[in-house]
Amino acid sequence: DAKTTQPTSMDCAEGRAANLPCNHSTISGNEYVYWYRQIHSQGPQYIIHGLKNNETNEMASLIITEDRKSSTLILPHATLRDTAVYYCIVRVKVQAAGNKLTFGGGTRVLVKP
Amino acid sequence: NAGVTQTPKFRILKIGQSMTLQCTQDMNHNYMYWYRQDPGMGLKLIYYSVGAGITDKGEVPNGYNVSRSTTEDFPLRLELAAPSQTSVYFCASSYPAGAGELFFGEGSRLTVL
């Protein structure tokens, strides 16, 4: 699986959009970009995933650049409950050998009032 | 649905003791995983299973054993506990198809003294 690079931490204001960048310059054509988050001491939670088109769900939007070498997770109206560590993971979507995830350090996001 | 359930939530062991962390899921997922997370770090894969009777090693399997006799259950056995096994353990499961996202339990916090 391709390696990802994320900022170690970032702050954002409550009610504003939070834009979380991720670099994955070695991504392969069949690899998807997945985002998970981990709220303090809880198990990671799936947020969204995409291949090359922009994706949106009830939690967030995912913007992938045309060359697919980077992406941005957007939390449209950050709340205090969005304070968490956010992980960007690149992976082949479904694998017969198991949909294993490789977690890096992630971005520690602090939403401030 | 309860999702992924882990027991116990907390446990203190003495060096050399053994114990089993229990994990059960009610989503009929074929794939199951055990991860550990040390303080301030990302998750590391210990073992995983793609179905009943099939298990394989992940990144950090030493000191652990697993079994998968049913689709629902995936226990993790610690033999001869060591202080280096002090960690938070997360069990997860996923479908082999669709988005392939992982669903995590709430974690089991283990301290070895």
Side-chain angles (χ1 to χ4, degrees):
Chain A
D1 294 339
K3 183 179 177 179
T4 63
T5 303
Q6 299 177 251
T8 303
S9 64
M10 61 183 296
D11 295 345
C12 63
E14 186 180 19
R16 305 293 291 270
N19 297 305
L20 283 63
C22 180
N23 286 324
H24 32 77
S25 59
T26 60
I27 192 171
S28 300
N30 63 344
E31 288 181 315
Y32 285 67
V33 180
Y34 282 80
W35 283 85
Y36 283 75
R37 73 179 182 183
Q38 186 175 25
I39 297 171
H40 179 62
S41 297
Q42 298 180 16
Q45 175 190 25
Y46 164 82
I47 301 173
I48 198 167
H49 75 285
L51 181 64
K52 54 184 177 182
N53 297 321
N54 298 339
E55 302 288 345
T56 296
N57 63 20
E58 64 277 5
M59 290 182 67
S61 295
L62 174 60
I63 309 298
I64 302 174
T65 58
E66 191 167 346
D67 63 6
R68 304 212 316 125
K69 293 183 184 299
S70 66
S71 61
T72 301
L73 179 74
I74 300 173
L75 307 177
H77 304 287
T79 71
L80 299 179
R81 287 174 296 192
D82 292 322
T83 291
V85 178
Y86 288 77
Y87 297 99
C88 171
I89 299 167
V90 172
R91 198 201 75 193
V92 176
K93 188 175 183 180
V94 172
Q95 305 173 31
N99 303 332
K100 301 182 291 293
L101 296 177
T102 300
F103 288 84
T107 297
R108 189 172 298 274
V109 174
L110 177 61
V111 180
K112 295 182 175 180
Chain B
N1 287 351
V4 178
T5 303
Q6 294 182 232
T7 57
K9 287 185 170 48
F10 302 94
R11 183 72 185 269
I12 297 175
L13 280 181
K14 294 182 179 179
I15 294 173
Q17 286 185 320
S18 300
M19 75 160 298
T20 299
L21 298 177
Q22 301 291 344
C23 175
T24 187
Q25 52 92 10
D26 61 359
M27 297 175 282
N28 201 33
H29 286 170
N30 292 69
Y31 295 171
M32 295 189 74
Y33 317 81
W34 274 106
Y35 285 87
R36 62 174 285 175
Q37 185 174 35
D38 298 333
M41 307 295 287
L43 284 76
K44 293 185 178 181
L45 182 65
I46 306 171
Y47 270 97
Y48 67 99
S49 168
V50 298
I54 306 170
T55 62
D56 207 347
K57 296 177 180 179
E59 184 183 0
V60 290
N62 291 343
Y64 307 94
N65 280 300
V66 293
S67 60
R68 184 95 182 271
S69 57
T70 68
T71 299
E72 296 78 17
D73 300 307
F74 191 41
L76 177 71
R77 177 87 177 157
L78 282 73
E79 304 283 0
L80 299 174
S84 60
Q85 294 177 304
T86 294
S87 191
V88 181
Y89 292 83
F90 290 101
C91 180
S93 68
S94 70
Y95 281 121
E101 72 263 37
L102 271 62
F103 296 82
F104 284 83
E106 294 185 353
S108 297
R109 186 177 298 273
L110 176 67
T111 301
V112 181
L113 300 175

